[in-house]
Amino acid sequence: MGIEVPRRSMNQPRITLLASQDKILREYFNSQADGHERAAVVLFKRLNITVGSLPVSDRYIAVAVQPFKNEWVTGSSPSHIAFDTQPLREYFRRCEEDSLVFGFAHNHPTGFPDFSETDDANELTLLEAISNRNGRGISLVGLLWTDGLWKARVRSGLAPNAIVSARHVLVTDRPMRVYRDNVAGRQDEAYARQAAAFGMPFVHTLQSLRVAVIGVGGTGSPTATLLARSGIGELILIDPDNLEESNLNRVRGAARRDVGKNKAEILGDYISSLELGGSVTTLNSHVDSPEGVDALASCDVIFGCTDDQIGREILNTTTYAYAQPYIDVGLGGQVAQDANGRPYLRYHHGRVSTILPEAGECLFCQGVLTEQWIRRDYALRETPNMGDAQARERYLDGGAEQAPGVGPFTSAIADFGVATLFDLVAPFRKFPGELRWDAFTFDFVQMALQSSRERNDANCPYCGSRQFLVMQEKQRLNRPSLGIRDVTV
Ligand SMILES: [Zn+2]
Ligand SMILES: [Zn+2]
């Protein structure tokens, strides 16, 4: 029998399955006429990244699934499965060559609610077989589908009898499904009114998530504040910029005395001071830095609240590479002058984009990102003192969305963005025909919700051919400038 390792005291991993992988496994398990147990190989990429003061929690991202072939199975019944490890050796080899972790998934057709003694025996057999080939330093993920739920746990070759339950199994589907460990979540009156709308399990799901907010200015600071208040368990705030006096009309948690300090650190201190029970850590750097990409990679969900197109391009890649639902918010607008020379808002809108690794159009296809704007932002970084006139030109010249900074507008789109996460976890929106779930704007002047037409570009490397989906990395995101991540498998 395995020894249950006390929770909270150690690395409690998180497991991510793509919607397509989850579908293959469930359909395979559920389609057996004999009602017998079945099993499958799931290969995982393991990200063991420590971020600031957050609890240590590895992410295991499924990169491939393979249902057992009939000839691998030596015996089965509704309550057990026995198999030969010999045919699995090619997967053990792949684990070693590609630094992957072997996962053993199976189902309980009888609905037996937890891992059984037979499961212990099977996992120990596998652990021994893999250790013999690849060394004791390996890990094994056990996945169980029973009674309509995923359960998962991890063992190490160094301590085969120690079992660590996964914090959750997350399926990047719409709705996003999060199967939590069966520990009770925090009971807190602070969440009672939100639970009245969505139920307490919803709150506990949010408590199990790690979310990054990239850019914590006008939209990012209300976004992060709302996320913290909604119960998100772990928040990472990323922003390299310092607070300016002209931000004070819209940035949450900042006072005049904070001018000149890093925005992420100001907001991190503010959110910590709320004592809501979650953890928050900050990163004072660009998201396209090695530490920025690592912080992102450790997250379950990403919020893009930056107007830096270089950063957005990174997020548009990591949503695929690290299998993360990605919600991007932005504002666009133009101020004109009337006949008397007074400014008026010609147009002003807020946008919410939702991208899942296998659904929704990417930011390039949505027209939010272009190669030209990314090049322009690189130029701006090289010449940070580019004058006002030049910067304005850069935006007006068919440029990226940018707007005057109006507090109620930046707040409003942050509200829409966080509600979009709620809708992803517990769908409540009824989208009218012309409105896209993955891309809509709110026009603050015309008072209208709108969506542009889908591009449906099958050749798009991001959302069409999906060439970045759970990609193998040599350097981070295979970009030499980002260097190699130290990985312990
Ligand atoms: Zn079992
Ligand atoms: Zn695309």
Side-chain angles (χ1 to χ4, degrees), residues 359-387:
E361 288 200 322
C362 79
L363 291 184
F364 284 105
C365 289
Q366 291 192 19
V368 176
L369 263 177
T370 72
E371 296 293 348
Q372 187 200 352
W373 299 335
I374 294 167
R375 278 197 301 276
R376 211 173 298 173
D377 274 7
Y378 275 115
L380 193 69
R381 267 200 204 170
E382 280 165 25
T383 321
N385 298 323
M386 195 184 284

Side-chain angles (χ1 to χ4, degrees), residues 27 39 48 77 137 144 176 181 188 211 251 268 272 288 304 351 388 424 436 441 456 472 489:
E27 286 184 354
N48 57 337
S77 74
L144 171 62
M176 180 172 96
D181 184 10
D188 189 334
V211 179
V251 170
S272 296
D288 53 300
R351 171 190 52 81
D388 257 12
L424 195 58
R436 290 167 56 178
T441 58
N456 281 321
Q472 288 293 313
V489 172

Side-chain angles (χ1 to χ4, degrees), residues 162-201:
I163 293 166
V164 184
S165 297
R167 187 203 291 182
H168 64 222
V169 177
L170 187 155
V171 180
T172 62
D173 207 346
R174 184 171 173 267
M176 180 172 96
R177 283 178 282 131
V178 183
Y179 303 90
R180 284 175 294 109
D181 184 10
N182 55 9
V183 279
R186 299 194 303 271
Q187 295 299 324
D188 189 334
E189 190 60 21
Y191 304 111
R193 299 298 291 275
Q194 180 175 285
F198 298 109
M200 202 39 105

